[in-house]
Amino acid sequence: MAMDITFILRTLTPIVEALEQLTVPYHIGGSVASSLYGEFRPTQDVDIVADMQLAHVRLFVRLLEGDYYVVEDSVRDAIRRRSSFNLISNETFMKVDVFIPKSRAFDQDAVRSLRRQPLMKGGREFVLASPENMIVNKLEWYEMGGQVSDRQWNDLLGILKRQGAKLDLVYLDRWAAALGVSNLLERALQEVGLRHR
């Protein structure tokens, strides 16, 4: 993991520093967060959720264009459509997907449970999605992908196993019901022995 995490940090840190300089609320999700909370798996990309506005775009691109492949029009388009854009590090060649948060209740609520912690011992802190938020996201992605992605399923089982009794099951139940994935949550909780029927 040490080799992989140094690449991730070298890829991620300048982008996070640019977001912080522009006071853009952000958090890290995807496989970086799920590896931290569950079982590590190598990744070729990093996911960031960033609440960017059109007013941020020019300076954001100017801060990063020397070290990343980034297309200003793509950033603007993603903000308008509330979708995503990506940057590619010229140094590590890792891709960073930046998602503009959706306006639905779950995505807005997720912001209230963010946490700050380093990705490696003694390192700088980053803002991360909570383990519960990652589980619900993974359930939703697994459902949207036709329930065939072993990677998504194993990621969420890894978080459930490692976080165990520390998880807020009320939060998980509430959002799984709201997003129509309660049956998958039940299956996952039973699989790791956190809930018995």
Side-chain angles (χ1 to χ4, degrees):
M1 167 138 182
M3 177 66 171
D4 203 80
I5 201 70
T6 55
F7 266 77
I8 288 168
L9 285 167
R10 275 165 34 204
T11 304
L12 191 58
T13 304
I15 298 170
V16 165
E17 285 173 350
L19 292 169
E20 288 177 346
Q21 188 176 326
L22 295 167
T23 63
V24 172
Y26 83 91
H27 62 272
I28 296 162
S31 53
V32 172
S34 63
S35 287
L36 199 67
Y37 296 139
E39 290 172 12
F40 172 74
R41 72 170 164 83
T43 182
Q44 287 305 308
D45 56 20
V46 177
D47 292 351
I48 300 177
V49 177
D51 197 3
M52 289 183 67
Q53 310 298 320
L54 289 170
H56 297 131
V57 176
R58 183 146 299 151
L59 186 52
F60 177 78
V61 170
R62 197 170 297 149
L63 287 167
L64 296 169
E65 63 189 351
D67 299 310
Y68 296 82
Y69 173 76
V70 55
V71 179
E72 188 168 329
D73 285 346
S74 298
V75 181
R76 291 183 187 282
D77 188 53
I79 292 168
R80 286 191 191 102
R81 293 153 60 99
R82 301 203 78 76
S83 58
S84 66
F85 65 92
N86 58 55
L87 306 98
I88 298 169
S89 167
N90 296 335
E91 182 201 358
T92 65
F93 304 106
M94 285 189 86
K95 181 164 71 84
V96 178
D97 291 313
V98 180
F99 296 86
I100 308 302
K102 297 182 179 76
S103 52
R104 62 185 187 159
F106 170 65
D107 298 273
Q108 298 301 312
D109 188 58
V111 174
R112 289 198 275 276
S113 58
L114 298 175
R115 50 185 63 190
R116 295 185 71 90
Q117 67 183 82
L119 299 185
M120 63 189 295
K121 203 169 182 179
R124 67 157 282 168
E125 289 187 337
F126 293 89
V127 181
L128 293 147
S130 70
E132 290 84 358
N133 185 254
M134 288 304 306
I135 290 165
V136 176
N137 270 319
K138 293 277 177 188
L139 288 166
E140 199 176 20
W141 294 332
Y142 184 71
E143 172 71 26
M144 287 190 302
Q147 300 188 19
V148 295
S149 173
D150 287 340
R151 192 178 66 177
Q152 299 290 2
W153 189 252
N154 290 333
D155 279 351
L156 79 94
L157 291 182
I159 300 169
L160 287 169
K161 282 178 200 160
R162 185 136 164 245
Q163 301 300 318
K166 291 185 282 186
L167 291 167
D168 182 348
L169 294 180
V170 174
Y171 177 96
L172 290 176
D173 284 336
R174 177 160 59 97
W175 285 113
L179 299 172
V181 291
S182 291
N183 57 331
L184 291 175
L185 176 63
E186 285 304 320
R187 190 176 121 202
L189 288 168
Q190 287 175 39
E191 213 167 301
V192 299
L194 284 175
R195 191 174 282 167
H196 304 283
R197 279 268 164 99

